[in-house]
Amino acid sequence: MYPDKKKLSLGQIGLCDAQQLLSVILLQQKSLPDTRLYVKIFESDCSAVERINLQLAALQTQNQECEELAHADLSFGSGSYLDMQAAIKQLLDTKLVAIPGCQRLILNQGRCLIDLYLGDIHSSLTNILAPADPASYLHAWFHTSDQQSLDEQVLWQMAKVSSNTALLSSSYISQQQANLAQIAGFTLTDLTSADFLSTGSLLEASAPEKTDLPPVSAKLNNEISQQERRALRQAQANEFQHYPQLPAKEGTIAVIGGGIASTHLALSLAERNKTVQIFCQDAGFSQQASGNKQGAIYPLLTPDNGTLSQYFQQGLLFSRRRLTSLVDEGFNIANQLCGVLHTGHDERSRGRINRIISAQAWPKEIAHRVSAPEATSLASIDIDQEGVFYPLGGWISPPEFTQAAFDKAAKIADVSALFNANITRIEQNEGQWYLYQDSCSGSGSENDSDNEVKHGPFSTLVLANGHGLTQFEQSKLLPATGFRGQVSHIPARNELAKLTTVLCSHGYLTPSNDQLHCTGASYVKNPQDLDYCPNEQLDNLKKMQHSFEGKTWVDDIDITGHSARVGVRMVTRDHAPMLGCAPDTDLMLENYKQHQHTKASIQFWKNNPAPIHHGLFILGGLGSRGITTGPLAAEALAAQLCGEIIPLDMATLALLNPNRMWMRKLIKGKAL
């Protein structure tokens, strides 16, 4: 049934109940401990999430009561209750929220992945890219709701991402739908998801079909279904060829960088048992942009709740899940998920905030309006301004988040890091990548090659090196710009020490950690140096004074200690990160000389694959909210590198692709 015993992928139409989700977690632990289980659930009714959360809360209370009874009766034992309680806690910690798109839950220490797609089911399936690796096709589907119809279009989109021997089980399927399902290549079965999980390792290539259904020629069924599936996949690939999603080749994956992006990519790859070697130019992790003592985590919302806004919400939830799972496993990461309070600092900013919160019926867990008294109560200091509260936000220590991701990766797979490795150039030779390290910087030698250490070969190389992203010849034209940011460290004292939520206005201010608050940050394009700047320190103070005029606690902000940290974040014009294949800009510009500003040129760019550097990938441009966007970007890139179904839809992948700035123009016939 699934030849790769290390991976099993299932699909489900309809979100059942909390008990079923818990059974998936427990059955993976007990029946398939050596298998990485992927479960994709599609649900059109967003209110189902609230139902699940209420059920989980009730089950937690019920299970705790049963556990107490079990402890009282020593002959009964409490192991099963402890297992159930742990599974309930895992699901509660995921903070399921009714937002559109895919929410990825990584459970059982990376062995069980549940992707929840909320919204129109046909649209969700249509906008999933078929995986590059056939081993990642889905092996079985379960139709669990009479509210979700399996029409012909839905069945073929399910088939697009399914193996040729995929099973389909449904109690809500008509005879006509059964015929269509068989034509689409599904084998109909009475197995439940629990049956399949508990006996899946014993199944071979097929399962008994329902005998009450009309027979369909197996040979014809096979020919039609496979041809149609290939056609669907090819049409989708052709449509998306200007944003290629190619996987990595076999072998060690080299990653340049030493921050959030590189270490979280290493963790996501380690969970897939990949060998990773990180090259960091500094003596340790988090010496660059990810070295701030505290980093705010909250979503960037837009009035239209477009693709970027949706990605930020997905990223917020994913980062929270990474954080809570790492902390639960014993990794030390300072954090406070205390929420973020967003207020305006002038009429324009207040108007923008009001437009955002008024434009959508945002889930209360994502954002909700608060009155001036409510703002003061949330912050525990005098705010006296209305604003927007992001309840699931807060702050995290980026250095500890970075280190924990690497430590976990190194614990579960062959992941290593080479420090003080200043990679000055990269080169591809016969399909392999080589990295050249400056081993004797400043020696004055006339021959640069005398001072180089060569690393490689690597079939796959990922650039995740923050503000150094554009330092290489192959990446120098990537549309990202470095902005210096100075974050001021403020002693916790008097009224200020009472602050209990992150404040975001004209700048941000965090609750204290180790008797220090963080505030800032400055925003200087293309900085000439990273030295401490007294003027930027003063500007950070003025931002708070401007945002909260007349508040006595602002007088407690003391910058006289000149304590601060400076870093450079790479910012894209559209504020979206970059992940995916590295564009070959030299070849693109060469082609552009021959194909521009005509109808024929539009067809050329639409009908030909985008030029890329094969085996070279980009993960960067995280901007000033890298903690919010970085871990999910890393997970998505890891899925791409491993040929899996990527937990982002096509619109999001197009938005995040490093090619996007150029291809948007080229396929419309516009000038670069």
Side-chain angles (χ1 to χ4, degrees), residues 463 465 468-481 570-573 578 580-585 616-621 657-662:
L463 304 184
N465 52 330
L469 191 63
T470 56
Q471 75 180 71
F472 303 113
E473 184 67 25
Q474 296 85 346
S475 61
K476 65 182 180 181
L477 296 181
L478 287 173
T481 305
M570 287 298 274
V571 180
T572 62
R573 207 177 326 154
M578 291 187 289
C581 301
D584 186 338
T585 50
L616 182 65
F617 298 85
I618 304 297
L619 179 60
N657 197 279
N659 264 334
R660 64 184 181 263
M661 298 293 187
W662 299 291

Side-chain angles (χ1 to χ4, degrees), residues 42-215:
F42 298 83
E43 174 58 60
S44 61
D45 182 8
C46 291
S47 67
V49 169
E50 183 178 359
R51 169 170 52 84
I52 294 293
N53 287 331
L54 290 172
Q55 290 172 351
L56 283 171
L59 283 170
Q60 185 179 47
T61 301
Q62 176 185 340
N63 195 72
Q64 286 172 340
E65 292 172 352
C66 292
E67 184 184 347
E68 290 172 2
L69 290 174
H71 278 298
D73 183 359
L74 297 179
S75 63
F76 187 79
S78 62
S80 60
Y81 296 112
L82 292 175
D83 291 340
M84 177 61 78
Q85 198 68 18
I88 292 171
K89 183 181 185 304
Q90 281 196 78
L91 276 181
L92 283 171
D93 285 347
T94 64
K95 296 294 182 185
L96 286 175
V97 182
I99 60 171
C102 176
Q103 297 181 60
R104 169 152 287 187
L105 319 181
I106 301 181
L107 308 160
N108 292 354
Q109 298 188 345
R111 306 302 299 169
C112 179
L113 286 82
I114 299 178
D115 287 339
L116 175 59
Y117 293 80
L118 291 176
D120 180 75
I121 291 175
H122 178 256
S123 178
S124 295
L125 285 163
T126 301
N127 288 294
I128 289 176
L129 278 176
D133 182 3
S136 292
Y137 290 151
L138 274 65
H139 302 99
W141 284 87
F142 305 97
H143 181 215
T144 63
S145 172
D146 58 355
Q147 302 299 311
Q148 322 284 353
S149 175
L150 292 183
D151 60 29
E152 184 175 13
Q153 290 182 321
V154 168
L155 284 165
W156 278 114
Q157 289 301 323
M158 291 163 56
K160 178 190 70 179
V161 293
S162 299
S163 69
N164 290 335
T165 58
L167 305 178
L168 172 60
S169 174
S170 174
S171 300
Y172 308 100
I173 190 168
S174 68
Q175 195 168 32
Q176 182 183 10
Q177 290 171 331
N179 282 334
L180 292 172
Q182 289 177 306
I183 291 173
F186 290 103
T187 299
L188 300 171
T189 177
D190 289 318
L191 286 172
T192 66
S193 57
D195 292 334
F196 191 83
L197 283 171
S198 60
T199 63
S201 60
L202 304 177
L203 294 175
E204 297 303 329
S206 63
E209 297 185 5
K210 290 183 176 179
T211 57
D212 58 336
L213 296 176

